[in-house]
């Protein structure tokens, strides 16, 4: 379920906003065209930041006035007394660094803006007017300096339920999303999930290979090779 936060942060459920639109309303084609380039970049091995930035730019082109970002959920390192994860900027091509730098690295928690709350709860947080929202109380000046008045933050959730990050849409005026916009955001978060999970698997595999190589060298493991045609036997340097 989603939380819609209106004047003074009052919360109410978002009812069935993703419904509506028939099979011929063109929305599916529009979404498919929107996500095509990021998927091609992902298939081509582009960095995650490039894939997610392209996804943001595609949505901004579709919705004039929107500015989008993706924040990742970074687990606290082992030994950190504060076990809360941090939010890390992965993409925000139309947001200036004077805005993104202060939020990059903030601890994830309920009340840390729309994105911190979405990361902490795994629920979409729609803040219609952030200047009247307690979740944004410590960030009003930052938002005002960059002409941001509303924020719709949607969690990017893995298949196992883990919250990987958030996709956020900002506007310069108080605004709530339409049913079609919610449906499009759901497609976008799905594509972002695929991209993030894919890059995480690549990283895990690379780290596993590196650890295996280090372990083999530490215990001086090696491999024998037999040339079938001649019967010659050779070994890797670790065997000698």
């Amino acid at each position: 379920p989603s939380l819609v936060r209106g004047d003074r942060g009052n919360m109410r459920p978002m009812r069935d906003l993703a419904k509506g639109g028939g099979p011929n309303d063109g929305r599916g084609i529009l979404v498919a065209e929107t996500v095509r380039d990021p998927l091609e970049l992902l298939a081509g091995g582009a960095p995650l930041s490039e894939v997610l930035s392209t996804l943001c730019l595609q949505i901004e082109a579709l919705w004039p006035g929107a500015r989008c970002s993706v924040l990742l959920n970074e687990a606290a390192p082992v030994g950190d007394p504060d076990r809360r994860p941090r939010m890390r900027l992965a993409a925000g091509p139309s947001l200036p660094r004077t805005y993104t730098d202060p939020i990059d690295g903030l601890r994830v928690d309920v009340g840390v803006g729309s994105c911190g709350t979405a990361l902490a709860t795994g629920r979409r947080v729609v803040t219609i007017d952030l200047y009247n929202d307690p979740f944004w109380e410590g960030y009003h000046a930052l938002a005002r300096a960059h002409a941001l008045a509303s924020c719709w933050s949607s969690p990017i959730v893995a298949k196992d339920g883990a919250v990987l990050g958030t996709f956020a849409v900002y506007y310069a005026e108080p605004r709530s999303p339409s049913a079609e916009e919610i449906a499009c955001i759901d497609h976008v978060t799905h594509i972002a999930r695929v991209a993030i999970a894919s890059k995480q698997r690549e990283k895990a595999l690379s780290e596993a290979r590196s650890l295996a190589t280090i372990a083999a060298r530490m215990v001086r493991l090696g491999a024998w090779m037999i040339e079938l045609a001649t019967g010659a036997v050779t070994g890797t340097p670790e065997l000698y």
Side-chain angles (χ1 to χ4, degrees):
S2 305
L3 295 179
V4 180
R5 299 179 61 80
D7 291 343
R8 306 198 179 283
N10 294 325
M11 294 187 290
R12 60 186 190 276
M14 180 177 288
R15 298 188 182 90
D16 300 328
L17 280 182
K19 295 181 180 179
N24 298 316
D25 65 354
R27 187 178 64 209
I29 296 174
L30 190 60
V31 172
E33 291 176 348
T34 299
V35 299
R36 184 176 300 142
D37 286 347
L39 286 175
E40 290 176 356
L41 288 170
L42 179 64
L48 181 61
S49 59
E50 183 179 352
V51 175
L52 297 177
S53 290
T54 300
L55 186 56
C56 289
L57 290 171
Q58 292 276 3
I59 296 302
E60 291 171 3
L62 184 64
W63 299 342
R67 285 183 278 180
C68 303
S69 71
V70 177
L71 294 173
L72 300 182
N73 204 12
E74 181 184 82
V78 175
D80 188 341
D82 189 336
R83 304 288 297 276
R84 292 175 301 170
R86 294 183 184 272
M87 58 180 80
R88 291 296 182 189
L89 180 72
S94 298
L95 292 167
R97 290 193 59 178
T98 49
Y99 177 75
T100 58
D101 283 355
I103 65 175
D104 186 26
L106 288 177
R107 294 284 186 178
V108 170
D109 209 346
V110 173
V112 183
S114 305
C115 292
T117 305
L119 286 168
T121 63
R123 302 175 70 182
R124 180 168 17 240
V125 178
V126 175
T127 304
I128 298 172
D129 183 359
L130 59 84
Y131 299 120
N132 288 308
D133 192 322
F135 283 1
W136 280 82
E137 191 169 316
Y139 311 100
H140 287 167
L142 181 64
R144 198 179 301 277
H146 296 89
L148 303 175
S150 62
C151 179
W152 316 335
S153 186
S154 300
I156 301 165
V157 182
K159 289 184 177 180
D160 63 2
V163 180
L164 303 175
T166 65
F167 175 76
V169 181
Y170 296 89
Y171 279 97
E173 66 281 340
R175 182 169 174 178
S176 60
S178 67
E180 289 76 14
E181 287 167 329
I182 288 293
C184 187
I185 288 171
D186 287 343
H187 282 277
V188 168
T189 56
H190 172 74
I191 296 302
R193 185 198 80 191
V194 170
I196 295 167
S198 175
K199 293 301 181 180
Q200 287 182 342
R201 285 193 297 270
E202 289 178 10
K203 182 181 179 182
L205 181 59
S206 176
E207 290 175 350
R209 286 172 175 166
S210 297
L211 288 172
T213 300
I214 293 170
R217 289 175 178 170
M218 288 179 66
V219 300
R220 297 184 64 80
L221 292 175
W224 294 106
M225 292 168 284
I226 301 175
E227 188 176 346
L228 296 179
T230 63
V233 178
T234 57
T236 59
E238 289 84 2
L239 295 173
Y240 301 98

